[in-house]
Amino acid sequence: MNDPDAASDAAGGLLDVPGARLFYRRTGSGPALLMIPGSPADSYDFVSIVPMLADRYTVLTYDWRGFSSSSLTGPPADLSLAMLSDDAYRLLAATGSGPAYVFGSSAGGLVALDLLAEHPDQVRAVIAHEPPATELLAGTDPRRELGHQTYELYRRQGVGPAMRAFAAGLGFGGSPPVMDEEPSPELREVMARMREKVVRQQKNAEFFLAHVLRSITSLPDLAVLSELSARVTIAVGTDSVRQFAHDTGLALAERLGVTAAVFPGGHAGFLTHPAAFADKLSRVLR
């Protein structure tokens, strides 16, 4: 373990995969549940919900290659959906965790769906929470160009202006998400640690803008996923209506012929509403 913030009851390590070394944690007992973060976030996004799932599942979390505690073993290069889902597959295989339930947040939802399409024997079921299926937006929707516009702004003005414009394009306002209850002392400590990680998150944001934003644009094989739709749940948040990822989630659910499940909170409901979110996740998987 090389992360001082890892929970004391979590086991973890490093896994070598082609071109990278992945940092992962395993917590709890029961059926395997792989949780894939979005980008430019990392597995720390799940810090408040994992303890609420660990009595029901063996929860496996990790950082994407090139992000936070997962490193590249070669020069920086653009990430692809196939590369990222292969990383998830190798992690399940190496830890003996498959077949697993898989939860993916945002772009992690696309990774989770691609994992199911490519390795259905390793996946029991997938919950893709607000996956950014940009291609499924109407051709006249200006948000289809958000990635390209954000990248060009990054090239001209740098990380800060680009990420602020990206957040605005996603529909995130200037106010922080509201917790569903007064944070406990433990959660306040977690939040304080997260504020201390600003430098790391800035590094993640630059890698995201340079090597992820334009390259993670393809969709998983929708024909295959349609055949596996009994194992697919597309989720959207109660508080994210009309936001970019909520709309793309609904569009993907419609394309796959499934009804979207509504989860507590917004795009980061697992962080702001962990207890209610964990309960909903478990009920959907059952």
Side-chain angles (χ1 to χ4, degrees), residues 102-226:
V102 183
F103 172 84
S105 165
S106 193
L110 295 180
V111 177
L113 291 168
D114 196 65
L115 174 65
L116 173 62
E118 296 297 324
H119 303 282
D121 57 322
Q122 289 295 307
V123 179
R124 295 189 185 195
V126 164
I127 298 177
H129 185 258
E130 301 204 336
T134 309
E135 295 179 17
L136 299 183
L137 292 174
T140 56
D141 193 321
R143 294 175 297 179
R144 289 174 63 96
E145 299 301 317
L146 178 60
H148 173 73
Q149 293 170 353
T150 300
Y151 179 75
E152 291 303 317
L153 185 60
Y154 160 65
R155 290 185 61 192
R156 295 194 308 269
Q157 298 185 27
V159 174
M163 289 305 296
R164 287 191 290 273
F166 185 62
L170 294 177
F172 302 155
S175 300
V178 177
M179 297 289 182
D180 62 341
E181 58 188 19
E182 180 67 21
S184 66
E186 292 79 12
L187 185 53
R188 283 197 294 270
E189 181 180 353
V190 165
M191 293 165 66
R193 288 195 206 146
M194 292 182 75
R195 287 192 291 269
E196 293 169 1
K197 294 177 180 288
V198 170
V199 173
R200 188 184 76 182
Q201 293 300 327
Q202 288 177 337
K203 179 181 176 182
N204 285 351
E206 181 150 18
F207 186 77
F208 164 75
L209 291 167
H211 297 294
V212 177
L213 181 61
R214 294 174 305 152
S215 60
I216 308 298
T217 57
S218 61
L219 291 174
D221 191 322
L222 298 184
V224 172
L225 290 175
S226 293

Side-chain angles (χ1 to χ4, degrees):
M1 298 281 289
N2 64 351
D3 188 338
D5 293 331
S8 59
D9 61 345
L14 298 171
L15 174 67
D16 288 321
V17 296
R21 177 168 290 173
L22 304 180
F23 175 76
Y24 68 92
R25 298 186 185 94
R26 184 165 46 193
T27 311
S29 61
L33 170 60
L34 174 66
M35 302 191 72
I36 306 177
S39 178
D42 58 24
S43 59
Y44 205 79
D45 263 15
F46 301 134
V47 70
S48 57
I49 194 174
V50 166
M52 300 178 180
L53 295 167
D55 62 337
R56 289 167 273 184
Y57 303 97
T58 299
V59 185
L60 189 66
T61 59
Y62 72 104
D63 297 338
W64 285 20
R65 62 170 61 209
F67 287 85
S68 299
S69 297
S70 290
S71 58
L72 301 174
T73 54
D78 289 352
L79 305 189
S80 68
L81 189 60
M83 180 188 301
L84 292 166
S85 66
D86 185 66
D87 285 348
Y89 166 72
R90 290 173 184 271
L91 180 59
L92 289 177
T95 58
S97 300
Y101 296 112
V102 183
F103 172 84
S105 165
S106 193
L110 295 180
V111 177
L113 291 168
D114 196 65
L115 174 65
L116 173 62
E118 296 297 324
H119 303 282
D121 57 322
Q122 289 295 307
V123 179
R124 295 189 185 195
V126 164
I127 298 177
H129 185 258
E130 301 204 336
T134 309
E135 295 179 17
L136 299 183
L137 292 174
T140 56
D141 193 321
R143 294 175 297 179
R144 289 174 63 96
E145 299 301 317
L146 178 60
H148 173 73
Q149 293 170 353
T150 300
Y151 179 75
E152 291 303 317
L153 185 60
Y154 160 65
R155 290 185 61 192
R156 295 194 308 269
Q157 298 185 27
V159 174
M163 289 305 296
R164 287 191 290 273
F166 185 62
L170 294 177
F172 302 155
S175 300
V178 177
M179 297 289 182
D180 62 341
E181 58 188 19
E182 180 67 21
S184 66
E186 292 79 12
L187 185 53
R188 283 197 294 270
E189 181 180 353
V190 165
M191 293 165 66
R193 288 195 206 146
M194 292 182 75
R195 287 192 291 269
E196 293 169 1
K197 294 177 180 288
V198 170
V199 173
R200 188 184 76 182
Q201 293 300 327
Q202 288 177 337
K203 179 181 176 182
N204 285 351
E206 181 150 18
F207 186 77
F208 164 75
L209 291 167
H211 297 294
V212 177
L213 181 61
R214 294 174 305 152
S215 60
I216 308 298
T217 57
S218 61
L219 291 174
D221 191 322
L222 298 184
V224 172
L225 290 175
S226 293
E227 295 176 358
L228 299 170
S229 61
R231 287 195 261 167
V232 173
T233 298
I234 305 298
V236 294
T238 57
D239 299 341
S240 56
V241 177
R242 291 186 293 277
Q243 290 181 2
F244 171 88
H246 186 109
D247 289 349
T248 58
L250 293 178
L252 182 54
E254 182 179 3
R255 175 65 66 89
L256 295 178
V258 300
T259 300
V262 181
F263 273 58
H267 195 58
F270 43 83
L271 184 62
T272 60
H273 299 63
F277 202 99
D279 180 66
K280 177 71 173 185
L281 186 151
S282 294
R283 285 189 283 116
V284 169
L285 291 182
R286 286 199 299 268

